[in-house]
Amino acid sequence: MADTTADTTTAAAATPTAQAPTVRPTPYKRTPPLADVVAPVAEPAAGPLDVAVEAPVVVAAVAEGRLPGGFRRRPPSIRRRPALYLAAALIGATSLGAVTTGEPAARATQTMSHSVSVAQELGIQATPKQAITDTHAAELLGDLAVSRNARDAEQAAAANIQAEADRVAAEAAAAAAAAAAEAARPKAVRPVEGARLTSGFGARWGTLHAGIDLAAPMHTPEYAVMDGVVLEAGPASGYGLAVYIQHENGDVTVYGHMDSILVEAGQVVRAGDTIALLGNRGQSTGPHLHFEVHVGGLNGEKIDPLPWLRDKGVEI
């Protein structure tokens, strides 16, 4: 039994045992040569390359690791990125061949030779104009002159109308201003401004003093107390010089002893107009104005001027 075991051991030792080959670890996957990649892909399994295969189909097939049209499947150990580049190059070459089959120079020449104008596109036909005669030209110029004359006449008429309108407007404005001034003008004024009352209406020295005396410096202006018409203007007994003015209500005002008279008989005066310059003529004891009021006319009743003036809004 011991011999048998020894023999068996000796036979096992004499017979060599098959061992697996040693595999060295590599830090990265090696890329096979380009010939190994291109040859399997470029050589078709059967028949020529079908150029009718659409580009998206080819790209999708290459991305999935398969080739349409009978191409051989690439080995799984080869990475897909070089295959994608190759498929893109094939598709670009095919498209470029299809585009360059035409004749661009001929097409550009044909397009330029067949260009048309906008008028032709719209269907407008140009009609050549013929030269006009001298007679026709003279007629056209005559029509132009007539038209110009008509325009000048219209402009002149418009200018006249405008001038008339301006004149009427100016007159209306002047009338309005006059009316405003008239409305603002006083109805009655003092016969002398700044004068001093030195003698009133009534008996004086045994006779009737029929007016009032208003003392003021020589040549002080004397005014018409209201609107009226000058009845008389000149020398008067006892007054030296006198002015008689009749007013709208029929009353007459008398102004005496002035040094000079500035109005004449028949003259229309308004309230506040200067009629004379104060003086000392006639029976006078100093420069003053003798003022009277005759009710109803020149020969009417002589009344006290102070209440009469007060009724007109004038205070002395």
Side-chain angles (χ1 to χ4, degrees), residues 102-128:
E103 297 180 0
R107 288 199 301 271
T109 305
Q110 183 179 4
T111 302
M112 294 178 60
S113 62
H114 287 78
S115 62
V116 295
S117 64
V118 176
Q120 293 178 351
E121 288 289 343
L122 297 177
I124 301 175
Q125 299 296 331
T127 303

Side-chain angles (χ1 to χ4, degrees), residues 217-265:
M218 287 288 293
H219 298 161
T220 299
E222 298 179 359
Y223 307 112
V225 295
M226 291 194 310
D227 298 348
V229 178
V230 178
L231 296 178
E232 297 180 14
S237 177
Y239 297 135
L241 294 176
V243 175
Y244 300 83
I245 299 176
Q246 186 172 19
H247 304 287
E248 186 178 2
N249 61 359
D251 298 342
V252 175
T253 53
V254 181
Y255 309 79
H257 303 303
M258 64 275 295
D259 187 69
S260 60
I261 297 174
L262 303 179
V263 293
E264 59 185 10

Side-chain angles (χ1 to χ4, degrees), residues 37-114:
V37 178
V38 175
V41 176
E43 294 178 1
L49 177 63
D50 187 2
V51 296
V53 177
E54 297 181 355
V57 176
V58 175
V59 173
V62 171
E64 295 176 0
R66 57 185 178 82
L67 292 176
F71 284 97
R72 296 178 182 176
R73 182 179 180 86
R74 62 180 176 80
S77 62
I78 302 176
R79 288 187 297 179
R80 296 181 180 180
R81 187 178 301 274
L84 289 176
Y85 291 160
L86 179 59
L90 292 174
I91 294 172
T94 304
S95 302
L96 181 60
V99 172
T100 56
T101 54
E103 297 180 0
R107 288 199 301 271
T109 305
Q110 183 179 4
T111 302
M112 294 178 60
S113 62
H114 287 78

Side-chain angles (χ1 to χ4, degrees), residues 191-192 220-224 255-256 258 273-279 288-289:
V192 178
T220 299
E222 298 179 359
Y223 307 112
Y255 309 79
M258 64 275 295
D273 287 350
T274 302
I275 60 175
L277 299 179
L278 187 142
H288 74 284
L289 167 64

